[in-house]
Amino acid sequence: MSQAPGAQPNPPSVYHERQRLELCAVHALNNVLQQQLFSQEAADEICKRPLSQLALPQVLGLILNLPSPMSLGLLSLPLRRRHWVALRQVDGVYYNLDSKLRAPEVLGDEDGVRAFLAAALAQGLCEVLLVVTKEVEEKGCWLRTD
């Protein structure tokens, strides 16, 4: 079929969710998948469920993006900023390597780091990035299959 000269072709139908609240991760997932598959509740459940399934020995480290309260001297302000925090195992012990701490904070074994992660996720508005080798990423072995 030919079009009349100067006629614009029909644009494809593109699914696009607009920003609502602070649900940009949910909107980004749905926009990439081109349909509304994820809700805030579903995304929250997915974040909580892989926590117990993480194969921590396969993970080099974790980077968390957390809400960080603001203060002016002793006065706490009603504003929230974001802060990135690193968690890492060294010689069998997990540490919180938050750059705001005077020294690394011992989290302990796998149970300790899972408890720290659960507490961070329970605060809400927390993002967790896994740092893994290319081999682990390609094999997808950062999750336990049992």
Side-chain angles (χ1 to χ4, degrees):
M1 271 179 107
S2 63
Q3 294 184 349
Q8 296 289 330
N10 289 335
S13 175
V14 177
Y15 182 84
H16 178 251
E17 285 185 9
R18 299 234 5 207
Q19 181 72 29
R20 184 176 62 84
L21 303 173
E22 290 193 12
L23 302 175
C24 49
V26 172
H27 299 310
L29 281 168
N30 289 336
N31 287 340
V32 165
L33 297 170
Q34 284 293 284
Q35 57 183 312
Q36 185 178 1
L37 289 177
F38 290 93
S39 65
Q40 178 182 2
E41 295 78 20
D44 288 346
E45 180 58 32
I46 290 168
C47 287
K48 292 173 187 169
R49 187 180 60 220
L51 182 56
S52 64
Q53 295 175 327
L54 282 178
L56 287 172
Q58 301 295 325
V59 176
L60 288 176
L62 300 103
I63 299 176
L64 284 66
N65 187 262
L66 304 167
S68 180
M70 289 184 63
S71 62
L72 187 59
L74 297 175
L75 178 64
S76 181
L77 301 175
L79 304 172
R80 292 239 181 235
R81 299 184 76 181
R82 309 291 298 170
H83 180 62
W84 294 93
V85 175
L87 308 180
R88 170 79 195 230
Q89 183 205 81
V90 178
D91 294 330
V93 177
Y94 286 90
Y95 293 90
N96 174 356
L97 302 172
D98 184 344
S99 60
K100 290 185 176 182
L101 297 174
R102 290 185 183 265
E105 175 185 33
V106 175
L107 299 176
D109 60 8
E110 285 191 21
D111 291 337
V113 76
R114 287 181 199 281
F116 182 89
L117 288 169
L121 289 169
Q123 290 180 29
L125 302 176
C126 172
E127 299 168 292
V128 179
L129 305 176
L130 300 180
V131 180
V132 298
T133 64
K134 183 174 177 138
E135 179 184 359
V136 167
E137 191 272 329
E138 288 173 348
K139 291 180 179 178
C141 57
W142 48 273
L143 285 178
R144 294 190 297 210
T145 57
D146 54 318

